[in-house]
Amino acid sequence: MGSSPLPVSLQSKFQRSQSTSRLRDYHGNFNILRNIIFALFVLRILRKSFYFLRGHGLIGSILVLYHSIHKNAYKMFLNLPGVRSQVSKQLEIAKKDMEDKLVPSGPGTNHYRHLPKEPWTKEQLHTELESLAAMKRTRWEEGKVSGAVYHGESSLLDIQSEAMRLFSVANPIHADVFPAVRKMEAEVVAMVLALFNAPESGAGATTSGGTESILMACLSARQKGYSERRITEPEMIIPSTAHAAFHKAANYFKIKMHTVACPAPDYVVDVNRVRRLINPNTVLLVGSAPNYPHGIVDNIPALSKLALAYKIPLHVDCCLGSFIMPCLAKAGFPSPWAEEGGFDFRQPGVTSISVDTHKYGFAPKGNSCILYRNRQLREYQYFICPEWSGGVYGSPSIAGSRPGALIAGCWASMMFVGEKGYVDATHKIVTTKLTIENAIKEHSVLKETLSILGRPMVSVVAFESFDPAISVYDIADAMSKRQWHLNSLQDPPGVHVAVTLPMTKPGAVDSLIDDLVAVVQGEKEKALDRLKAGGPIEKGKGSSAQLYGVAGSLPDKSIVEKMVVAYLDTLYKA
Ligand SMILES: *Cc1c(COP(=O)(O)O)cnc(C)c1O
């Protein structure tokens, strides 16, 4: 009848002893578990420290630590009450300067901050558009701007406008409604794949620009790492000279980034350092062909070997190189790393390449391509949402709706320029780059002050000042007073010129060199005067000298960041 064989007192004693032994068991198991978790924790820290030490070396690791302490101490200093108010006062002044420069006001400028109640007439619009087009600006037509406008001839602009007008309503998200745009997009990708020697398996997509192409390459690599190797803390290794878009990708997609020095005298990425930073979390290696700052092509063959050995994807950023890189040999110039097998998909380790059709592909702005070695890599960048209440959704890249007009403009530009046109353009551009390079190396005034950074082989030539009395930023500022729009660089301090077609027009490059000689001469005289007066006065007063020379030398960049925020805010001041 359910009665226990044991007396009640004994029964409870037995149960108690049984439960304490069970408790002891639990306790024992818990201890083991705790020790295992602790050991895993320690192992993880050891593993991380090991990869950190191996990646940076002992001295390098100490330096990293030192810089971080230095930076934080400086940050604290900036937050001291007296310092902070001084900093914000200076920032306000800088802000005001920016507004005065970027947002002209006063008599004759109209500001429209509300929709017009009555629609404008065609004539009204025409007049206003004409006056907007005539706003005071740098004359790119005369070849006075580095980069920015890559072609600009009216014959091409007319073709682009026609193509864009015909397809201004087109949106490739509706491939069935706009079949022509789908066709043109596929053909643009196919033509660019062919230019970069993609294998049969090659695949690609168009994007809104170089930044989006780079974002997609990094996303694809991250997704590949997760799908195939369950990497949840992805890392990538880029040259310090790689484009800022990689920093953006790391930020957007939460990829830890390592930057590797590109030391003088050749300024290509140090491949041994890249190797030391590789660890089981590495999802992507990067090389530029060429990089933006110095126009130098990293050692893609060596990076390709590394990528193959460690089975890691390798992205080649050919955004800037775009159509010049594949045309160099045909235009009669040496092609970087040709003897080692080239810089593109001919290197078996290269898995993706970004190519800006809107740079030296001469397409309208808002065009670029991302190319992959195979379709699987492209699939990793796709976004698919099967459960959306708006219907099953899929899109290849960041945007949903996309401008079909830009694809039509790109396709038309490529067909209109053709291979011969690109080879001719390459010839003109690289010849002009050589003219500037030779002037800096050979002109008696320039060669005493300036030196070329590395051995540029494409369209960009960068220089620094090796005369300690002359700041290269003062040279940039003096050039901009003469209406030249060159680009300032940091680490090392420098200036570059990205040659585009407008600069190849007769007279443009000669006047660039003449002005550069006059400016350097002027800076030399100023330096001599300073020496006579016995003090470093009147140096580094210009805007680029201030931003890069003064603010740039600070250990913590929060002031520079605040200046950039102020600049970006100013852009939206109506
Ligand atoms: C211009 C450029 C990019 C990307 O630029 P977008 O402005 O987004 O088109 C990327 N890499 C290099 C080397 C570049 O010069």
Side-chain angles (χ1 to χ4, degrees), residues 256-314:
K256 181 172 172 184
M257 202 174 61
H258 299 279
T259 51
V260 174
C262 305
D266 53 5
Y267 295 92
V268 295
V269 70
D270 182 339
V271 176
N272 279 323
R273 287 206 190 184
V274 174
R275 178 188 293 115
R276 291 203 330 240
L277 284 162
I278 292 175
N279 69 37
N281 283 333
T282 310
V283 295
L284 185 64
L285 307 180
V286 171
S288 310
N291 64 43
Y292 168 86
H294 315 129
I296 282 167
V297 180
D298 286 313
N299 189 344
I300 307 298
L303 288 171
S304 165
K305 283 203 190 98
L306 261 192
L308 283 181
Y310 290 89
K311 297 193 173 64
I312 300 169
L314 167 62

Side-chain angles (χ1 to χ4, degrees), residues 20-200:
T20 42
S21 89
R22 207 177 298 144
L23 205 69
R24 212 177 297 126
D25 274 357
Y26 279 149
H27 213 74
N29 285 342
F30 178 72
N31 269 339
I32 293 173
L33 196 68
R34 201 182 58 181
N35 288 342
I36 289 176
I37 290 174
F38 182 70
L40 283 176
F41 182 71
V42 170
L43 210 67
R44 200 179 132 93
I45 291 179
L46 281 177
R47 192 163 165 255
K48 277 198 166 173
S49 315
F50 168 73
Y51 286 122
F52 187 87
L53 273 167
R54 198 188 60 176
H56 298 93
L58 185 63
I59 295 170
S61 301
I62 293 169
L63 279 176
V64 169
L65 224 66
Y66 167 78
H67 284 309
S68 135
I69 293 168
H70 185 197
K71 187 176 151 169
N72 282 315
Y74 184 78
K75 216 173 198 159
M76 274 156 72
F77 165 76
L78 283 183
N79 269 321
L80 293 177
V83 182
R84 197 162 63 189
S85 64
Q86 200 57 36
V87 166
S88 50
K89 212 188 274 168
Q90 290 298 321
L91 266 172
E92 280 309 313
I93 296 172
K95 236 181 196 166
K96 187 81 188 45
D97 272 1
M98 273 188 238
E99 279 186 18
D100 292 346
K101 236 188 232 163
L102 286 168
V103 194
S105 56
T109 38
N110 301 318
H111 296 275
Y112 306 103
R113 299 189 181 96
H114 299 280
L115 274 176
K117 286 267 187 288
E118 289 299 319
W120 280 19
T121 62
K122 254 181 162 167
E123 293 71 37
Q124 233 177 328
L125 250 174
H126 190 75
T127 315
E128 185 69 14
L129 284 173
E130 289 287 331
S131 86
L132 282 167
M135 259 172 92
K136 191 173 168 294
R137 59 175 173 83
T138 312
R139 306 301 299 175
W140 60 261
E141 296 91 334
E142 293 159 20
K144 297 206 121 182
V145 179
S146 160
V149 179
Y150 289 78
H151 192 289
E153 286 298 319
S154 58
S155 54
L156 180 65
L157 291 179
D158 290 344
I159 293 290
Q160 289 174 348
S161 305
E162 186 188 343
M164 287 162 76
R165 187 172 55 79
L166 284 171
F167 293 93
S168 68
V169 297
N171 177 359
I173 206 172
H174 307 294
D176 48 345
V177 187
F178 305 108
V181 159
R182 188 214 63 78
K183 179 174 186 288
M184 284 187 278
E185 178 173 21
E187 289 173 0
V188 165
V189 171
M191 286 189 271
V192 182
L193 279 166
L195 265 182
F196 285 80
N197 297 301
E200 269 303 301

Side-chain angles (χ1 to χ4, degrees), residues 156-157 159-161 163-164 207-209 356-359 361-368 405-414:
L156 180 65
L157 291 179
I159 293 290
Q160 289 174 348
S161 305
M164 287 162 76
T207 68
S208 61
D356 278 3
T357 37
H358 73 191
K359 284 190 175 157
F362 305 139
K365 279 284 177 266
N367 274 298
S368 175
L406 285 180
I407 292 166
C410 181
W411 185 88
S413 307
M414 288 169 67

